[in-house]
Amino acid sequence: MIVDFDRIKGERLLRLILSLDGEKFYIVGGCVRDLLLNKSLKDIDVVVERLNRSFIKNFLLIFGVQNYSKSQFLTFKIGTSKGIFDIARARGEYYEAPGKLPRVYPVYDIVKDLKRRDFTINSMAIEFWPRTFKLIDPLGGFDDLKSRILRVNKKGSFIDDPTRAFRAIRYRHRFDFRYDKLTENEFENLNRSLPNLSFARLRNEIARVVCEEKRFLMLKEIGERGILRIWDESFNSFDVKMLEELDRILPRAEDKWFYFLIPFGLENYFKKYPYNFKVSERKILELLFKSLDLSSLSRPSGMHSVLKDAEAETVRVWGALKGVKQELLMDYLWKRDLLKNSIRFNVLVKRLGNFERARKAYNLLVRAFLDGEIEPGEEEEFLRKILSDL
Ligand code: ATP
């Protein structure tokens, strides 16, 4: 593997910034790693040793963009039609306490900026001096990339920032790499910093994991290493079968993050800290963890009494949790969908001119429909029969 700068120059997201004149700048971190691995780029991190207004202005000009947002850690975010650019000045950082966010300060040397990063493969830069290119690789990241090794930049890395444990697990499985000895040892240090990690940062890490192709293997490693238990003792279980089931059921989307904590003992944690969750998440979790007499729910109409407002994926997770067969749930969901095209409650109220009578009739209709006593198309006939008795 050699650095193929011609290919890199041709990369869609880079072509335009090649015309930036004047300043020396670098692309850094994950985008360099992905370029060297020949993977497509989602966004680009740009670092400048001396960041001034004209650099940002030129940047906006080439992409024809008016606005940018300033974010944490001396960074500017510029969304363009080609992709997102994060522009930062080179910075160093130090940790006042294990597991807390770092304090950052400007540095004037890209190598210092690279060394503060997490893993050697994420600590490379490509220098653009306007039209010439150079790989800057102070820690041997390129060799590690070739040997498929994930290596922390320094001893004590996970003590400073325990989110790196989650990052390590993501990269290991995403790229099919192995940890070097030092990195493997870092997992032993997690009890010194992980309990200090905020809920918001943990959520963020899990949300990133659940979008990954190999999320099952990643979460399995998190479970086998007992990482969540170190974070909070309520996460004192690990049910790999449940994890497998969730992996099958749920789409790869950030907002599904909380479902994936179920196999680790989320029920205990949720009971202790319900208000850490958003209202919408809380509603779902309350439904999932409600104790129920399952014998009354064996028929689709019984399930409907509990699940009528739940989204399909919540219904399926509920089933996995309560041990209800997925075929039964699929059958219920299919019928529930058909029901949407059947007679509507408000139409029935209007038609009968009596709310209470309509409610009774509608409930009987729904029950008969869901339990398969009538087929689609037989609703009118069924109503005619029951209305005379109501
Ligand atoms: P991904 O492909 O998962 O998004 P990425 O490498 O682009 O990976 P980001 O989280 O976008 O990851 O971070 C960009 C870069 O910032 C990383 O490549 C790394 O150099 C640095 N970085 C991010 N998080 C940390 C961290 N917790 N500790 C040290 N360096 C970090």
Side-chain angles (χ1 to χ4, degrees):
M1 198 156 59
I2 49 151
V3 185
D4 180 356
F5 283 115
D6 283 336
R7 188 180 56 75
I8 291 174
K9 272 189 279 182
E11 176 67 35
R12 191 176 61 94
L13 274 167
L14 293 182
R15 249 179 273 148
L16 274 174
I17 59 171
L18 286 177
S19 63
L20 269 175
D21 263 334
E23 282 295 330
K24 175 161 77 172
F25 64 93
Y26 306 87
I27 61 169
V28 293
C31 63
V32 175
R33 175 201 70 216
D34 288 348
L35 276 171
L36 296 174
L37 286 172
N38 216 348
K39 298 203 181 290
S40 57
L41 299 183
K42 300 176 297 267
D43 44 32
I44 297 207
D45 290 331
V46 175
V47 167
V48 197
E49 283 162 335
R50 284 176 174 71
L51 185 59
N52 53 38
R53 273 178 192 281
S54 71
F55 185 79
I56 300 285
K57 251 189 177 155
N58 284 342
F59 218 93
L60 295 173
L61 213 65
I62 4 178
F63 286 101
V65 177
Q66 309 279 333
N67 294 318
Y68 59 85
S69 57
K70 237 175 158 174
S71 46
Q72 257 182 329
F73 304 139
L74 319 171
T75 320
F76 297 83
K77 201 178 255 318
I78 301 183
T80 74
S81 57
K82 313 270 180 216
I84 295 175
F85 289 85
D86 278 305
I87 304 178
R89 61 197 286 185
R91 62 182 191 258
E93 63 190 22
Y94 64 95
Y95 291 83
E96 284 180 327
K100 298 291 174 199
L101 281 172
R103 296 248 177 214
V104 302
Y105 55 91
V107 295
Y108 298 95
D109 173 2
I110 186 70
V111 169
K112 283 194 181 134
D113 179 294
L114 293 174
K115 285 186 172 169
R116 70 159 171 93
R117 291 169 186 264
D118 48 4
F119 303 102
T120 60
I121 60 164
N122 285 345
S123 303
M124 292 179 274
I126 294 177
E127 179 185 295
F128 286 65
W129 175 249
R131 279 163 233 279
T132 56
F133 309 93
K134 192 164 91 189
L135 181 70
I136 301 183
D137 180 15
L139 300 168
F142 193 36
D143 279 342
D144 283 344
L145 215 52
K146 286 186 274 191
S147 322
R148 313 174 77 80
I149 291 176
L150 192 69
R151 189 191 307 274
V152 285
N153 286 1
K154 64 171 185 128
K155 195 165 176 226
S157 174
F158 290 10
I159 301 179
D160 282 344
D161 181 351
T163 64
R164 292 174 185 159
F166 296 93
R167 296 175 65 81
I169 290 171
R170 272 198 298 124
Y171 297 127
R172 174 194 168 190
H173 293 286
R174 189 199 293 169
F175 300 128
D176 201 10
F177 281 13
R178 63 184 169 81
Y179 306 128
D180 81 305
K181 186 108 187 59
L182 190 58
T183 310
E184 183 58 54
N185 289 344
E186 284 300 309
F187 285 99
E188 305 296 317
N189 288 330
L190 278 177
N191 52 2
R192 293 168 63 185
S193 56
L194 191 56
N196 294 341
L197 189 71
S198 69
F199 175 78
R201 292 183 73 203
L202 180 96
R203 177 181 53 205
N204 193 29
E205 292 307 318
I206 301 293
R208 291 182 82 169
V209 170
V210 305
C211 295
E212 296 269 352
E213 180 65 35
K214 295 194 184 152
R215 64 185 179 184
F216 171 72
L217 291 177
M218 297 172 186
L219 289 160
K220 184 161 170 271
E221 182 171 343
I222 290 173
E224 284 165 354
R225 289 184 181 273
I227 290 180
L228 292 176
R229 183 185 303 136
I230 299 174
W231 181 68
D232 186 289
E233 62 194 11
S234 333
F235 288 105
N236 57 5
S237 50
F238 177 50
D239 179 347
V240 73
K241 284 248 162 342
M242 173 62 67
L243 179 62
E244 228 171 341
E245 194 86 355
L246 296 178
D247 184 37
R248 241 196 317 272
I249 293 172
L250 293 164
R252 289 182 160 66
E254 279 187 17
D255 64 346
K256 310 299 170 223
W257 72 277
F258 61 96
Y259 287 109
F260 285 91
L261 295 184
I262 294 173
F264 299 91
L266 177 61
E267 187 166 0
N268 299 330
Y269 182 83
F270 180 62
K271 281 188 182 138
K272 266 181 21 197
Y273 306 108
Y275 295 106
N276 276 349
F277 296 83
K278 290 186 197 158
V279 177
S280 56
E281 295 168 347
R282 228 157 47 218
K283 260 173 114 175
I284 294 174
L285 291 173
E286 271 157 12
L287 170 72
L288 292 177
F289 297 140
K290 195 151 112 187
S291 45
L292 296 165
D293 171 13
L294 286 177
S295 60
S296 67
L297 304 177
S298 57
R299 293 163 76 86
S301 61
M303 289 179 198
H304 193 61
S305 63
V306 182
L307 301 170
K308 57 175 171 297
D309 299 321
E311 284 191 36
E313 69 198 19
T314 310
V315 171
R316 297 192 62 198
V317 173
W318 177 88
L321 209 54
K322 308 287 179 200
V324 179
K325 282 209 174 89
Q326 289 289 316
E327 301 91 85
L328 275 180
L329 292 164
M330 297 310 275
D331 182 54
Y332 162 66
L333 286 170
W334 176 69
K335 285 182 179 148
R336 194 177 77 170
D337 264 0
L338 286 178
L339 199 58
K340 287 188 191 132
N341 300 324
S342 181
I343 293 172
R344 293 190 179 273
F345 177 58
N346 51 358
V347 174
L348 200 58
V349 175
K350 258 195 201 149
R351 185 166 134 193
L352 301 185
N354 179 324
F355 186 87
E356 202 39 41
R357 199 158 168 251
R359 194 182 60 80
K360 278 190 189 147
Y362 188 74
N363 285 346
L364 287 171
L365 177 74
V366 168
R367 195 160 78 194
F369 193 92
L370 290 176
D371 292 345
E373 287 156 20
I374 59 170
E375 295 291 324
E378 294 176 355
E379 296 91 329
E380 273 303 333
E381 194 186 332
F382 178 81
L383 276 178
R384 241 180 288 122
K385 272 192 210 148
I386 58 166
L387 279 173
S388 54
D389 294 336
L390 289 175

